[in-house]
Amino acid sequence: MLNQRKCFHLSIFKLKNISHIKNLKWNEINFSDKNYLFTCTNFEREKPNVKNLVTYENKNAKSFYKYSNNSNLHTNTQKIENNHKNVLSKKMENTNENINMNKRYISDEPNKGGNLRNAENEKNNELDRYNMENMKDGIKSKNGNCDDIIDLTLSDVWSKKTLIVEYKNNIFEILLNRKEKLNAINKDMITGLLNMVKSLSNDDRCNLIVIRSINQNCFCSGSDVKDIVQNKEQGINHLKQLYKYINFISKINKNVLCIWNGYAMGGGLGISMYTKYRIINRNVIFAMPENKIGFFPDVGSCYFLKKYFPRNIALHIGLTSLRLNEMDLTNFKVCTNYIENVGQFLNELYNIKKEDPDKFNEELIKILNKYPPNVNINTKPVLTEELISNIDKYYSSANTLEELINNLKKDEDNNNFCKQLLSDINANCYFSCQLWFSYFIYNYDKSMEEVLDNDFKMTQYFLYHTNTFEKGVTEVLIKKNKNFQWSKDHENNPVQLEETIEDILMNKNLLSIKDEFI
């Protein structure tokens, strides 16, 4: 079998002439578990540390320049200039020229198609062909000169159009762009988000990152769980990227602001709950509905629900998939600001026009102070005083789901809350509810990193050691079976979890990601 090596090229910079390569500092970027070269805005002479063979193709000269592990960038660049001087056009010496890296297969042995052949017809392309000439105007650097490195033109490659990036006056907007799917997060979207925020964290042009939806009626409905259960290996990698993003965004050294409108659920809360500023618009629906589809509330929800809600209310939200509104989010200080006109608010941000980070932050705080978390419409909270009182009464003495159910059954005939809660539990996957109750208590004193690592392990458990997640997604979301009901065998035959939460998480076959957190 031929020993083939995949080489990818991303159009990521413009050069005035080929000798300009000598002055660039080369780094590596991890993309789909492979390493690629990219350039930084600081121009220092430094030898590259290239892990993979990378091929550069000049579109005009049709020449290929190879660099391997032990190559010296300066020496090889000089050889390129000498060897290809006769083919480099005069125009190349005087004007900017795109250096494109096209996806190729390089074989170590001869084959029928030659050592180098185009991979456009390969079925499993990891990257779409990417052409700088068809891009919108590049994002300019601080001095407005597009001749400098245009690193965020990679956004289309990273996210495959599931995200739109806009830049103006030191503000980068990342818009979720899967309107027809209610912005459900797929592998391309989370890969794009993770790579973008990593890039922006070191970008001196960036004083503020705004994450919002292109859809005015929905921020994000959660992760695209259909893709996760239909391709489990890819699904695990998707969720791994999501948890790594959550950890990174919680520690980023930039101002990050998200704007919630409509649905903000499941994975949608994962990508936004850990931002510095959480701004809500009208008609927000906040929920963790995973128990309905045989999964469990993940994305670090054990951590952020505990942070903003008392123990009993947090348990109830995860157990019942309770939908909260903007009044609840302001009452419990989940959001930092409330706005009614998104366009007006964004215009105020863009008018700051301060490049200096400290001066920018001063103006940003002034604007945010104009929008306190006070809802100006006549909306009643879901978490009323009566509901909170009942939650505390029946949850306080319960440390397992079975204990809660026993408490509820005692007053089922006399209290509508008890009757409704028993009905809600029966409507959800009982195994998921049972596990969530114990899992939340287990994680109650854990750090965010520990919770995310436990979430990753529990995700593997649900995908490979139970069938509830796959069954729930198939029946509820794929087949859209309106008559589907979860088994109610537990009503007559109470069951216990076969394994404790600690036993599940200590399983050596479940992978950990804690070493990959920053």
Side-chain angles (χ1 to χ4, degrees), residues 159-164 175-178 186 188-190:
S159 69
K160 295 187 179 178
K161 308 294 184 180
T162 61
L163 301 169
I164 296 174
L175 286 79
L176 310 184
N177 187 36
R178 295 190 79 205
N186 64 5
D188 297 320
M189 183 182 284
I190 192 57

Side-chain angles (χ1 to χ4, degrees), residues 42-106:
N42 53 325
F43 300 110
E44 299 177 7
R45 294 179 179 272
E46 181 172 318
K47 295 180 181 180
N49 178 19
V50 187
K51 293 185 178 179
N52 291 334
L53 181 66
V54 180
T55 299
Y56 297 89
E57 177 190 5
N58 175 267
K59 292 195 299 182
N60 290 345
K62 299 297 181 185
S63 303
F64 292 87
Y65 314 134
K66 301 179 182 179
Y67 299 93
S68 59
N69 283 351
N70 298 320
S71 63
N72 183 302
L73 181 61
H74 300 181
T75 303
N76 282 331
T77 305
Q78 188 62 46
K79 289 181 180 179
I80 291 169
E81 291 177 330
N82 294 335
N83 295 338
H84 300 280
K85 189 174 182 180
N86 59 329
V87 293
L88 291 176
S89 65
K90 189 172 183 179
K91 181 180 179 181
M92 181 69 176
E93 297 175 0
N94 299 320
T95 62
N96 289 345
E97 188 68 31
N98 292 338
I99 305 295
N100 287 335
M101 196 188 300
N102 296 319
K103 186 173 181 181
R104 302 286 184 176
Y105 285 89
I106 297 181

